[in-house]
């Protein structure tokens, strides 16, 4: 005999069949609610439709969908709809699964019903995937090899290598702080990292050593150590050295143009433009380089037709007058927009009067070719720490190297396996050290993992080597089912371990934004892009590009699909980086087909 709950759902599905989609799952969930004395059945799916009393609502946009994630059966609910509060009682909520359009499974708060078992209910197991942390971060103790690196004498450059979680950043900072404590004269140092999140973490570590001295938000430290995200470091240096640079950076630069500006094969053209003119290097030199098709075409097969078109168009816009400047003769009040943005915002001229972050290092290279030993010097430091050095392009490494004093100390750390930016043109550590101007550098390879559990380390190494996955992987039917699963698991984890730090690490920023929207009805989480992390208990939704150098008790990779992680070297390294953020547990999941990188049995 079919249970009453299942019979009721089947009747609702039958009545709603005219409005349900014919392709894919008809819907994802069913709600029965009571409001103002009336009982309503609502289906959650991927569209908003209604007919003959049957209602299908979009689970991501309809306010009623919040009830599924935020209320419990037999409980009261209150939601806001069009500025008014709607309240009622949730009678039933059912998670549905279909095969070929036929209902095959119903999951309630307490039971699971499956058609293959004649709809006989069985008790539902409590969420058990996410576990309380067993490896909360503790104070870092140096082993003998790490201590040897820290104790090297001043002016001894060092390259610190090692796998993810082996303590490269920490050892580099310990050496920096040791040099500061023993400096015989004024100590002037900078730490340069690839991401804002890692910059903030480094600031915290240095603050701990500095007895509470604060650091300014623009990267300048109180005392003798500055901490910079690379783009802001390059910006600071260029604004000190070159006059008249735009205050705004472009927002619409294509990936092809970014890659072109970081390509080491561009150097002959930089030399050509640098030597073709006299006088100080100006921003206009960049227009001669990137705004002239005849010049760019000298790159030959390195430059694609799309890259040439994008770069020429982008340069034309950048060197165009902004609307405000073009109409400077007009009453200023008439040029003020309602939202306070520039008139060109959101238009093809949005990047008028801007500069690219990639241009800063190029200006220094142009100046070096034009003036040789008389070239302008960047601000210089007696000690530089360059973390994740594999992410900088050769021309960027050259700028960093020129910022070191003649008798200064360079500390470099990195891991080629974590090189996730395809436009960095990483050419190996010999080339990296040569570009930095410190070819005579002592190398230290760390051997002990201080972060990841053995099973996570084995999984990450297997990804790099192309070996089968040894971790359980969770495949969810739809994005709705993924959201429901994550919300339940994380809720249970936070009840058991309130101090847990959790990171949902997506492949891209857009995927992170989408997942954060999916979870917003049932989870207090932080969309951690541009370095806006919760450092401590809580849930961050972020992406691979943001987590370099960071760690979390639980790392969840929610989109390990073939689309997000195709079988490429770049995707393999990205998956390695994401996986090695976990200090206690790593969880793999996706919607649909898993990436072939996992080599699942």
């Amino acid at each position: 005999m079919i249970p009453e709950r299942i019979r009721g759902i089947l009747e609702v599905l039958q009545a709603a069949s005219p409005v349900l989609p014919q392709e894919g799952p008809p819907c994802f969930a069913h709600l029965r609610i009571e409001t103002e004395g009336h009982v309503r059945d609502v289906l959650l799916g991927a569209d908003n439709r209604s007919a003959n009393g049957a209602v299908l609502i979009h689970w991501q946009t309809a306010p009623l969908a919040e009830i599924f994630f935020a209320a419990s059966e037999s409980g009261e609910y209150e939601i806001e709809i069009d500025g008014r509060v709607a309240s009622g009682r949730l009678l039933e909520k059912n998670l549905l699964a279909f095969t070929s359009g036929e209902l095959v499974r119903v999951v309630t708060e307490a039971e699971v019903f499956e058609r293959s078992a004649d709809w006989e209910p069985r008790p539902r197991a409590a969420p058990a995937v996410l576990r309380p942390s067993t490896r909360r971060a503790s104070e870092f103790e140096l082993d003998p090899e790490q201590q040897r690196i820290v104790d090297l004498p001043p002016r001894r450059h060092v390259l610190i290598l090692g796998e993810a979680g082996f303590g490269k950043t920490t050892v580099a900072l310990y050496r920096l702080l040791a040099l500061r404590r023993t400096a015989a004269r004024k100590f002037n140092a900078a730490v340069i990292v690839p991401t804002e999140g890692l910059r903030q973490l480094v600031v915290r570590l240095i603050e701990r050593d500095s007895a509470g001295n604060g650091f300014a938000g623009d990267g300048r430290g109180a005392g003798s150590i500055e901490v910079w995200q690379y783009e802001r470091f390059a910006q600071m240096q260029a604004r000190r050295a070159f006059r008249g640079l735009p205050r705004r950076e472009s927002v619409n630069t294509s990936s092809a143009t970014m890659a072109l500006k970081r390509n080491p094969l561009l150097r002959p053209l930089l030399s050509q433009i640098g030597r073709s003119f006299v006088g100080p290097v100006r921003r206009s030199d960049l227009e001669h380089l990137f705004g002239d098709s005849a010049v760019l075409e000298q790159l030959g097969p390195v430059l694609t037709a799309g890259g040439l078109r994008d770069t020429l168009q982008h340069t034309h816009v950048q060197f165009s007058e902004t609307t405000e400047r073009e109409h400077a003769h007009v009453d200023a009040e008439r040029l003020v927009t309602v939202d306070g943005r520039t008139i060109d915002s959101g238009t093809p001229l949005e990047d008028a009067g801007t500069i690219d972050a990639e241009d800063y290092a190029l200006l220094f290279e142009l100046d070096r070719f034009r003036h040789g030993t008389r070239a302008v010097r960047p601000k210089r430091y007696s000690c530089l720490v360059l973390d994740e050095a594999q992410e900088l392009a050769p021309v960027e490494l050259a700028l960093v190297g020129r910022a070191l004093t003649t008798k200064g100390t360079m500390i470099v750390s990195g891991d080629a396996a974590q090189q996730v930016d395809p436009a960095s043109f990483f050419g190996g550590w010999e080339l990296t050290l040569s570009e930095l101007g410190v070819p005579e550098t002592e190398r230290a390879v760390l051997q002990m993992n201080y972060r990841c559990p053995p099973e996570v380390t084995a999984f990450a190494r297997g990804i790099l080597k192309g070996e089968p996955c040894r971790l359980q992987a969770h495949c969810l039917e739809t994005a709705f089912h993924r959201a429901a699963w994550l919300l339940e698991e994380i809720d249970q984890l936070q009840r058991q371990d309130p101090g847990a730090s959790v990171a949902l690490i997506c492949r891209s920023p857009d995927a992170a934004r989408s997942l954060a929207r999916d979870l917003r009805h049932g989870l207090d989480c932080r969309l951690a892009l541009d370095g806006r992390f919760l450092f401590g208990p809580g849930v961050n939704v972020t992406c691979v590009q943001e987590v370099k150098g960071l760690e979390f008790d639980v790392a969840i990779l929610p989109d390990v699909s073939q689309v997000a992680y195709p079988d490429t070297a770049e995707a393999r390294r990205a998956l390695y980086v994401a996986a090695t953020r976990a200090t206690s547990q790593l969880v793999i999941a996706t919607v649909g087909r898993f990436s072939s990188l996992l080599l699942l049995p």
Side-chain angles (χ1 to χ4, degrees):
M1 178 180 295
I2 298 178
E4 182 178 348
R5 179 186 287 251
I6 303 302
R7 184 183 302 109
I9 296 172
L10 291 172
E11 290 173 356
V12 172
L13 292 172
Q14 179 61 36
S17 59
V19 300
L20 296 179
Q22 301 303 307
E23 299 293 330
C27 59
F28 311 138
H30 163 255
L31 293 174
R32 177 163 289 167
I33 59 177
E34 181 181 23
T35 178
E36 298 179 350
H38 299 284
V39 175
R40 298 176 59 193
D41 289 291
V42 179
L43 297 174
L44 278 61
D47 203 352
N48 290 300
R49 301 179 185 179
S50 62
N52 302 323
V55 178
L56 175 70
I57 63 173
H58 198 300
W59 74 275
Q60 293 172 309
T61 60
L64 275 177
E66 181 179 343
I67 299 171
F68 184 91
F69 299 109
S72 299
E73 283 193 2
S74 302
E76 306 292 326
Y77 69 83
E78 281 190 357
I79 58 172
E80 184 175 322
I81 302 178
D82 297 330
R84 63 181 180 84
V85 175
S87 61
R89 190 161 64 96
L90 176 60
L91 303 179
E92 286 186 21
K93 69 173 179 179
N94 303 294
L95 184 66
L96 310 180
F98 295 82
T99 298
S100 301
E102 295 292 328
L103 182 67
V104 296
R105 187 170 67 255
V106 176
V107 181
T108 74
E109 290 184 344
E111 298 175 311
V112 176
F113 300 83
E114 292 185 333
R115 188 173 70 171
S116 60
D118 295 327
W119 297 116
E120 285 294 321
R122 57 180 171 84
R124 182 183 176 188
V129 174
L130 303 187
R131 306 184 302 267
S133 175
T134 57
R135 297 190 58 178
R136 195 76 79 220
S138 58
E139 291 296 322
F140 189 91
E141 294 185 6
L142 299 176
D143 62 33
E145 171 60 10
Q146 292 169 334
Q147 190 65 56
R148 183 190 71 81
I149 298 168
V150 171
D151 294 338
L152 288 171
R155 300 180 60 183
R156 183 75 62 83
H157 309 307
V158 62
L159 171 64
I160 306 171
L161 304 176
E163 297 179 46
F166 278 46
K168 299 180 296 298
T169 302
T170 304
V171 173
L173 293 179
Y174 269 57
R175 171 151 172 75
L176 167 67
L177 296 172
L179 290 173
R180 181 174 70 168
R181 285 191 290 269
T182 59
R185 55 184 179 177
K186 184 177 179 181
F187 189 75
N188 176 31
V191 181
I192 303 170
V193 299
T195 66
E196 175 59 20
L198 184 53
R199 189 196 74 82
Q200 292 183 30
L201 178 63
V202 169
V203 165
R204 288 167 176 260
L205 294 173
I206 293 177
E207 282 181 331
R208 186 184 305 170
D209 184 79
S210 301
N213 290 333
F215 283 71
D218 62 358
R220 295 191 293 273
S224 57
I225 300 177
E226 302 173 9
V227 185
W228 294 95
Q229 191 264 346
Y230 167 74
E231 279 80 7
R232 301 286 69 80
F233 171 82
Q235 179 193 66
M236 175 273 292
Q237 295 285 18
R239 294 199 187 287
R240 291 180 74 256
F242 305 104
R243 295 182 179 179
L245 297 186
R247 305 308 301 177
R248 293 192 304 123
E249 290 184 358
S250 55
V251 296
N252 297 313
T253 316
S254 72
S255 57
T257 296
M258 291 180 187
L260 171 64
K261 291 187 173 186
R262 302 179 75 196
N263 195 318
L265 297 179
L266 186 68
R267 270 188 167 140
L269 295 187
L270 290 171
S271 175
Q272 175 184 319
I273 295 297
R275 292 186 168 96
S276 296
F277 301 92
V278 295
V281 165
R282 297 282 187 247
R283 174 173 168 261
S284 57
D285 288 303
L286 298 173
E287 185 177 20
H288 292 300
L289 175 57
F290 297 114
D292 189 333
S293 61
V295 173
L296 288 178
E297 285 170 353
Q298 296 179 50
L299 288 171
V302 172
L303 184 66
T304 65
L308 175 62
R309 181 188 64 250
D310 287 354
T311 303
L312 292 174
Q313 290 178 350
H314 179 63
T315 304
H316 174 73
V317 170
Q318 282 192 305
F319 284 87
S320 300
E321 293 280 8
T322 64
T323 299
E324 285 86 352
R325 182 179 290 273
E326 187 176 356
H327 294 83
H329 60 284
V330 177
D331 184 359
E333 291 186 0
R334 299 175 63 185
L335 298 177
V336 177
T337 60
V338 174
D339 59 5
R341 302 168 67 193
T342 65
I343 294 174
D344 296 326
S345 293
T347 75
L349 284 175
E350 185 171 17
D351 282 341
T354 64
I355 189 169
D356 289 338
E358 294 77 21
D359 291 336
Y360 299 130
L362 296 178
L363 289 170
F364 280 98
E365 198 75 346
L366 283 167
D367 190 72
R368 183 176 68 84
F369 282 123
R370 182 169 299 175
H371 296 114
T373 57
R374 296 181 293 106
V376 297
R377 287 184 173 180
K379 179 181 179 181
R380 305 179 82 189
Y381 300 86
S382 56
C383 183
L384 282 174
V385 176
L386 180 58
D387 196 22
E388 306 289 357
Q390 72 277 355
E391 299 299 343
L392 293 191
V395 70
E396 296 162 350
L397 293 168
L399 170 57
V400 173
R402 292 179 65 190
L404 185 70
T405 59
T406 303
K407 296 182 179 181
T409 304
M410 181 75 76
I411 305 168
V412 185
S413 65
D415 177 11
Q418 296 186 65
Q419 194 268 308
V420 297
D421 186 347
S424 70
F425 297 96
F426 177 68
W429 294 114
E430 295 289 348
L431 178 61
T432 296
L433 297 175
S434 176
E435 292 288 356
L436 288 169
V438 289
E440 299 299 322
T441 299
E442 181 156 350
R443 300 192 184 197
V445 181
L446 304 184
Q447 301 292 335
M448 186 177 297
N449 193 324
Y450 287 87
R451 177 191 299 154
C452 303
E455 64 272 17
V456 174
T457 299
F459 169 81
R461 288 174 175 171
I463 289 296
L464 293 179
K465 297 176 181 178
E467 297 175 351
C469 169
R470 302 297 182 188
L471 287 178
Q472 184 179 4
H474 305 269
C475 185
L476 291 311
E477 293 95 331
T478 68
F480 178 90
H481 291 82
R482 179 178 64 182
W485 175 72
L486 286 171
L487 290 171
E488 197 164 29
E489 289 287 346
I490 292 173
D491 177 71
Q492 179 70 10
L493 173 65
Q494 292 182 320
R495 292 174 187 273
Q496 297 175 342
D497 187 1
S501 63
V502 180
L504 293 157
I505 306 173
C506 300
R507 181 65 182 92
S508 69
D510 285 345
R513 293 186 188 96
S514 178
L515 182 61
R517 287 193 298 269
D518 292 350
L519 300 177
R520 70 189 184 282
H521 291 314
L523 180 66
D524 182 13
C525 61
R526 171 76 62 86
L527 178 59
L529 300 178
D530 300 322
R532 294 191 287 268
F533 284 91
L534 291 169
F535 290 98
V539 181
N540 295 281
V541 182
T542 186
C543 64
V544 176
Q545 298 93 315
E546 294 279 344
V547 297
K548 299 293 290 294
L550 305 183
E551 60 184 43
F552 308 89
D553 294 328
V554 178
I556 303 173
L557 316 189
D559 60 350
V560 188
S561 67
Q562 187 64 23
V563 172
Y565 293 91
D567 192 357
T568 65
E570 178 190 349
R572 194 178 294 277
R573 292 193 298 269
L575 186 54
Y576 171 83
V577 169
T580 51
R581 300 310 97 193
T583 64
S584 182
Q585 185 181 11
L586 171 65
V587 176
I588 304 292
T590 195
V591 174
R593 180 185 172 194
F594 275 110
S595 168
S596 60
L597 295 179
L598 297 182
L599 293 177
L600 293 170

